[in-house]
Structures are given as structure tokens and as C-alpha cells.
Amino acid sequence: MTNLAIAANGLRKSYGDKVVLDGVDLTVPEGTIFSLLGPNGAGKTTTVQILSTLTRADGGTVQVAGHDLARRPDDVRGAIGVTGQYSAVDKLLTGEENLLLMADLKHLPRGEGRRKAAELLERFDLVEAGRKPAGTYSGGMQRRLDLAMTLVGDPRLIFLDEPTTGLDPRSRRSMWQIVRELVADGVTIFLTTQYLEEADELADRIALLDHGRLIAEGTAEELKRLIPGGHIELTFADAHLLDAARRLLGTGVADPEALTLQLPSDGSVRAIRELLSLLDEHSVDPTEMNVHTPDLDDVFLTLTGQQKETLR
């Protein structure tokens, strides 16, 4: 059985008459990336604050890193790291000094703290910059240092909030690679992001929160298949084969000039296998096949009724 980094059941939170979380269930296996998406006011921030011990839930049971959140919050804090949207880096200190300060806060022996700082500067490609004030760093370098500071305590679960906001495309991809390497080492990432393509690129599973309730959860591909508009486009060598395919399948929109036939489909492996098997059985061979599925923007818009710009 897979061990769970997070297991939350019936999570509830209200502020006065306003219900922020209304019975949320979450399960996050260890060593995976889980992304929580949702529009403004959906309850994402409150969820992260509860799971990271910053706010108490009104109801529900939660296990984080194997510890009961209500009974053993100190054990939870010892097992997690939090990298917030707004950098915790002290810009007046050097990169190395920031890491050594974090080591002191974690009560690491001086020698171990220096070893850990050197190791993290190397890992995050900050050795050259390590003796320069963090205020001179680029945005991407500051985010790398921020995450390095989170790793000083060797957390097994990291809450990563908006890790690439404001970064250029190259720095964003560099951060994505770091996140993948962390997960390859067994760390669990709980990701909140305003960039839907980031969740699509990184997350093993995605949950969509709206008005305090989970309205969908699954892999990116599973979520995309919830939305109509997916199709398979077949291209044929000649009009004879195109007509034969249209008669055989009895559905689809043909383009005689482009020699293509567009068929509604969820794009699943099973649907593609059945389609190709039927065509092969009747010796109707396409020269090309393209599968088109809705993206996470479409999922977000359709399920929440809101434009993706309201995600933050």
C-alpha cells in the first residue's frame, strides 16, 4: 500500500458566516507532485495554511507526514517545509549567510550547518553567488535560494506556493527541473500555482477547488477528458480511403481537400486502440493521426465558469 504524505477527510473551515472549506477530502501519496488549483476565494490558501499548521481547521481529520495534525503539530512542522509566494530571503545577507541562518534556526551543529549550506549552494548552482548579497540576485536565483533555505531541514513534504511567478521562461524551466529532482529523491510537493501549464507540466495529480469544495480531481489527462471538444483527426492518402473511412465509422466531419476525417473522441488509449483496430480490420489505413484534447484552461473555465486570469 502506498504511504500517504497527506490524508485529509472532511476538512472544514469558516470565518464567521462565511464557509471557506466545506468538507474537503485530500490524499497525496509520498514522492509525488500534487497541485491544488482554484479561482480567487476558492479556499486554496486556507487549505495550505491548515495543512502546514498555520491555521486550525474547524472540523475533519488530517494526517500530514504520518502525524496527526491536531494532536502532534510540532511533529508535522518538523517534517515539512514551506516556500511561500513571497520570498523569505534576507536580501542584505549573502546567499551563504541566509542558509547558515536557516541552519541556526533548525538548531543544526555549526559544522553540519556549514556542510549543508555548501551542499545546497552547489545543488542550486549558487556557489559563485553564495558570497554576494541576495539583493543582487536575479528573480530566478532568489527563488532557487528560497527553496534551498526550505531544504536545510531536510523536509519530506514541501508546500510550494507560486514557485515561478515573475520568472522568465528559462528560469521557470530551471525551477521545474529542480522540483522534478526533489521528487525523484522521494520528496513530496504540494503545489499551488497560477500557471495552468505549470500544473499540467509537473503534477502527478491535480485537484480543482471551487467555493470550498473539490469539484474535480485526477491526472491532467483525466481532467481534460471531462470536457467536450476532444477529437481525433485522421489523414488519408486519397479520397477513396477517406470515403471508405467515413462509411465505415458512420460519424465525423470530412474535409475532402485536406483528405482528413475529424472524429469526436476523449482521446483515451482505449478509444484510439478500438478505432485503429476497426480501420485495420477493413484495410482502411490512415497516413497520419492527430489527437486533440482540451487543455487545463478549458477545464478550468468549464468547471468553474471563470476565466483562468481569476485563478490567483
Side-chain angles (χ1 to χ4, degrees), residues 7 32 56 61 70 87 104 115 122 158 161 172 202 257 292:
T32 64
R56 283 183 176 272
T61 59
S87 176
D104 286 343
R115 181 192 59 76
E122 176 76 31
I158 297 176
D161 184 24
R172 181 175 301 164
L202 290 177
E257 290 187 11
H292 301 265

Side-chain angles (χ1 to χ4, degrees), residues 4 14 85 102 170 187 189 211 227 235 259 273 307:
L4 296 178
S14 298
Q85 180 179 357
M102 189 58 65
R170 183 176 179 181
V187 175
I189 302 290
H211 294 97
I227 307 304
T235 303
L259 296 175
R273 186 186 296 120
Q307 296 290 348

Side-chain angles (χ1 to χ4, degrees), residues 98-150:
N98 269 284
L99 291 168
L100 291 174
L101 176 61
M102 189 58 65
D104 286 343
L105 292 173
K106 294 288 184 181
H107 306 295
L108 296 184
R110 184 172 296 274
E112 186 180 342
R114 289 197 172 280
R115 181 192 59 76
K116 192 71 177 177
E119 174 191 309
L120 289 167
L121 288 172
E122 176 76 31
R123 180 175 186 176
F124 285 82
D125 195 22
L126 292 170
V127 173
E128 246 184 76
R131 296 190 182 278
K132 297 176 183 176
T136 65
Y137 291 11
S138 67
M141 290 167 68
Q142 286 192 24
R143 289 306 277 166
R144 296 206 305 274
L145 177 59
D146 204 16
L147 185 52
M149 290 167 64
T150 301

Side-chain angles (χ1 to χ4, degrees), residues 152-170:
V152 168
D154 288 322
R156 304 312 296 161
L157 167 62
I158 297 176
F159 293 93
L160 202 52
D161 184 24
E162 310 286 0
T164 64
T165 297
L167 299 187
D168 61 73
R170 183 176 179 181

